[in-house]
Each structure stands twice: as C-alpha cells, then as structure tokens.
Amino acid sequence: MSVIEQARRAREAAAELATAPRKVKDAALHAMADALVARTEEIVAANAGDIEAGRTAGLSTAIIDRLTLTGVRIAAIAEALREMAALPDPVGEVVRGSTLPNGLELRQIRVPFGVVGIIYEARPNVTADAAGICLKSGNAALLRGSSSAANSNAAIVAVLRAAVADTGLPADAIQLLDSSSRDSVKELMRARGLVDVLIPRGGASLIRTVVEESTVPVIETGVGNCHVYVDAAADLDKALAVVLNAKTQRLSTCNTAESLLVHEAVADAFLPRVLAAFAQAGVTVHGTPEVAAYSPDVVPATDEDFGTEYLSADISAAVVPSLSAAVAHIRSYGTGHTEAIVTDSTTAAREFVARVDAAAVMVNASTRFTDGGEFGFGAEIGISTQKLHARGPMGLPELTSTKYVVTGDGHVRT
C-alpha cells in the first residue's frame, strides 16, 4: 500500500478519533497495554532478529541498546500506556474564554492535529509510545521507523492495531510505513494536506533532512549536546553525583550530558575526582590542555568534540574562567536541549537560568530528568528544541492545536 493511501486511511480514522469520548480512548490504551504484555514472547522473538541483524551490520553498542526489547522493557512500555490512560484528556479543554462586550461567548478549545507522522530511528519502544500518545490526543499515527527495527515495529503495530480494533476504534488510527526504502520517508514528507504535522526523532542528520525537505509542517525534536557546568560555588559532592548520573545513567539518550564545564576556582579540587570516576566508569574524556593536566587518560579535545552528541561513553570537558564563559561556550556548542548548573549560589543559578537558551535548564539536578515521564506528562512524543508551538518534552497537550468557538444569539456585525 502506498504512503498516500495509508495517509488517506489515517485521515478517515482521525475524523472518528476526534470525537471519541475519553472512556473509549482509555479503554483502547489499556487494551494495547494488556496485549503487549500478553504477546511479549512474540515481540521479543521478532526483536531478536533485529538485534542479530544489527550486530552483523556492525551497529554500535549504544544503538543495540536502543534497539533491544526485553520482557522488563515491554512491561514498562505497557505501564506507560496505562499511565497515559490516567492522564486528563486534552481534547476539548478550554484554553481561555470570555464574554465579549457585545454578548458573544468566546472559547478557545484544544482539538487534535489530525494525522501525525513520526519518523524515528532504532527505538521500537517509540512505536508504542507514539501510537498511544497520538490516540489519547485524538490523532491518527503514521509511524515510519528505521529498517534496523523493522521486525520489532511490525510485531508491535500488529498487536496494537488488533487491540484498538477490539475496542471499537479504527485500526487505521495506527499504521506502520514501509522502512525498506527511503521512498516512504520522501512520500510522507510530501503528503501535505493529508498529514498535518511531522515529528522526527533521531540523530542530527535525520532531523535536518526532515526539517529542510518536508512540505508538511515539522516539529523539530532534540539533538542533545547537553552540558553540566560546575560553578565556583558548587557543592563538589553534589556536583560529582550530578555529573556522573547525567553522563552514565544511560549513554544513548538525547538528555545524556555530552560536555562538562568546570570553573577554574574548583578545578584543582574537582577534576581529579571526576576524572577518576569517569575512568572507573569507562568514560573517555576529550579535554582541553587544562583538563588533561589532571590525568594522562584525557584525550586532547578538538573543536568538533565540543559540538558532538556522542551517545556513547565519551564526554568533552573544559575549564572556564567564569559563569559568563560557561554560558558563551554553551551558546557556541549547545543544541538548545538541556543545560545544567551545579551551584550553591542563588545569584549564579538565576543568572545561568536567565542567560542560557534551552528547552530545559537544570539547577543542581541531572540532565537526565528532561523527560516526559519524569515531568509527569506520561510517555512523550519527543523533546522539542524549537520555539514555535511546543518546546521541551511534548506530552498530550502538545499534540493538539486549538480552535475558537463563538456562540451568539442571532448576533450580526454592524
């Protein structure tokens, strides 16, 4: 089936979803969760084929980790769908309203986008997350995953479509596009009028391609070159815990720290500790000469290193003379995703928050908290690094637009 035909079917499904009551959508989410758990062995078996093919193709350890599904991970995906069912339905929410001087009643209410296309890489968990969040927000989902996860995605979508249909909603609310060629991506990006918005989730190259070539409106999601700045007034025990968590808690996520900046006033006390901890954790530090002075294990950093989203056991590091220098560094190399400061100075924290331009700014907390689930939004569709419509973790409200409803009593304009 062509992408255009799938988009037409999605549009029909979206019209039905737009008026579906919350209890029906929530029942579908619970059915989806139950079906994923019940058919875990089937999904894991399909995933095993993708993992074997990925290893044969020489995919990195980080990509294999993203690709892997286990019983525990599938149970977590299912639980995220159940948690989503418990969240308020954004559709129909009154954003604002008033009675105008002429007596007209004005309301701005949330409505679904309609058809949402998601282009993503290697993460089969995104398949279920995206399908669920689209359904809850009244949208039909066109899912275009990567060929490396083709078997996993196909198995998951088959399970979800059957569960949705069993609850009386259209199965075409969730559709998987062919991932065997790039033609499906091109067709999806050109399906303006049938697809209402595209959301790319993946590396810089994918996101740049979709943003630059799509005729369908795009919400740009986040390449994460995230920094942790250890200020002169930092509690160094807290700083060590935050830096290690931000870098090592999970290597392959967009909210993982990729660069460490240390104020020169605490470099002597902090860098030996953090470099030793990184060495023990197997993290390679790409540092400036000032950083390398504290350990022979530091690899000389290039300008490219400071602009890299590693998604691996690597981190760039530099010593800075001031908070202003840290902010300037972040402005040069950051991607507008998440930036963190560790400090006991309220003044420094406020200045950092005010001057750093990012979707999320952390004060004495790990960058790993930039996540829809951690923010209490339920499973997210992605983390937007743009400034129009949505910014930061995109939960249910961010998958809606609005329309105005104006109610009168025979009013005419004079």
Side-chain angles (χ1 to χ4, degrees):
M1 188 186 307
S2 71
V3 171
I4 296 303
E5 178 57 29
Q6 287 183 281
R8 289 195 178 106
R9 293 172 66 165
R11 202 146 196 87
E12 292 179 7
E16 189 171 338
L17 278 177
T19 58
R22 173 180 175 174
K23 65 179 181 180
V24 174
K25 293 187 290 186
D26 289 350
L29 289 169
H30 280 289
M32 291 159 64
D34 292 344
L36 286 171
V37 173
R39 296 172 66 177
T40 292
E41 290 186 10
E42 176 184 335
I43 296 168
V44 169
N47 179 248
D50 289 331
I51 294 170
E52 182 179 357
R55 286 179 174 147
T56 300
L59 294 183
S60 68
T61 301
I63 298 299
I64 292 294
D65 176 61
R66 287 183 171 191
L67 184 60
T68 300
L69 291 174
T70 63
V72 172
R73 287 188 177 183
I74 291 172
I77 294 168
E79 185 58 29
L81 291 173
R82 296 187 184 101
E83 291 173 359
M84 201 181 303
L87 294 172
D89 188 344
V91 178
E93 176 191 351
V94 178
V95 177
R96 58 181 173 179
S98 62
T99 300
L100 302 178
N102 62 7
L104 286 174
E105 293 183 358
L106 178 70
R107 289 178 297 143
Q108 183 184 20
I109 64 172
R110 291 197 183 279
V111 295
F113 280 130
V115 178
V116 177
I118 301 99
I119 304 173
Y120 55 104
E121 297 175 331
R123 289 178 180 264
N125 64 294
V126 172
T127 302
D129 287 348
I133 198 169
C134 284
L135 187 143
K136 175 81 177 194
S137 56
N139 298 291
L142 290 176
L143 307 170
R144 205 293 187 177
S146 63
S147 58
S148 61
N151 294 317
S152 307
N153 291 338
I156 291 169
V157 168
V159 170
L160 299 181
R161 282 172 60 88
V164 166
D166 285 345
T167 62
L169 290 176
D172 284 337
I174 303 169
Q175 296 184 70
L176 182 67
L177 305 186
D178 178 30
S179 62
S180 62
S181 91
R182 298 180 64 86
D183 291 343
S184 61
V185 173
K186 294 177 182 177
E187 289 183 59
L188 184 59
M189 291 191 297
R190 298 293 188 272
R192 190 178 181 94
L194 292 174
V195 178
D196 294 288
V197 65
L198 276 182
I199 302 173
R201 289 189 60 170
S205 177
L206 168 68
I207 294 169
R208 183 170 56 252
T209 297
V210 175
V211 169
E212 293 177 354
E213 298 184 15
S214 177
T215 62
V216 175
V218 176
I219 298 178
E220 186 172 351
T221 60
V223 174
N225 187 13
C226 305
H227 299 73
V228 178
Y229 164 58
V230 179
D231 185 52
D235 178 314
L236 298 187
D237 290 333
K238 290 180 183 177
L240 185 63
V242 167
V243 170
L244 288 178
N245 182 264
K247 180 65 235 180
T248 66
Q249 198 262 340
R250 192 169 179 186
L251 296 173
S252 61
T253 60
C254 61
N255 56 18
T256 296
E258 305 289 22
S259 192
L260 169 65
L261 303 175
V262 179
H263 194 289
E264 62 183 12
V266 294
D268 286 347
F270 185 68
L271 279 172
R273 295 178 63 187
V274 74
L275 293 176
F278 276 147
Q280 186 174 2
V283 175
T284 298
V285 177
H286 303 254
T288 60
E290 293 84 359
V291 175
Y294 293 94
S295 171
D297 296 328
V298 173
V299 176
T302 64
D303 193 62
E304 183 180 355
D305 285 321
F306 286 109
T308 297
E309 182 188 30
Y310 291 105
L311 302 176
S312 62
D314 296 87
I315 191 169
S316 60
V319 176
V320 292
S322 64
L323 185 150
S324 291
V327 171
H329 183 102
I330 290 168
R331 285 183 173 175
S332 294
Y333 299 103
T335 53
H337 192 295
T338 301
E339 309 296 354
I341 181 174
V342 183
T343 185
D344 282 347
S345 167
T346 301
T347 300
R350 287 176 177 170
E351 182 179 352
F352 188 85
V353 169
R355 295 179 60 190
V356 166
D357 186 14
V361 182
M362 303 291 174
V363 178
N364 296 324
S366 170
T367 58
R368 289 283 290 125
F369 284 108
T370 304
D371 174 85
E374 294 293 331
F375 281 14
F377 300 164
E380 67 185 28
I381 199 72
I383 297 173
S384 170
T385 54
Q386 66 180 33
K387 298 183 182 180
L388 296 179
H389 175 70
R391 196 179 193 197
M394 293 187 290
L396 294 169
E398 285 72 35
L399 264 289
T400 64
S401 182
T402 64
K403 69 179 175 185
Y404 288 94
V405 178
V406 182
T407 304
D409 184 21
H411 282 62
V412 295
R413 182 171 176 176
T414 57

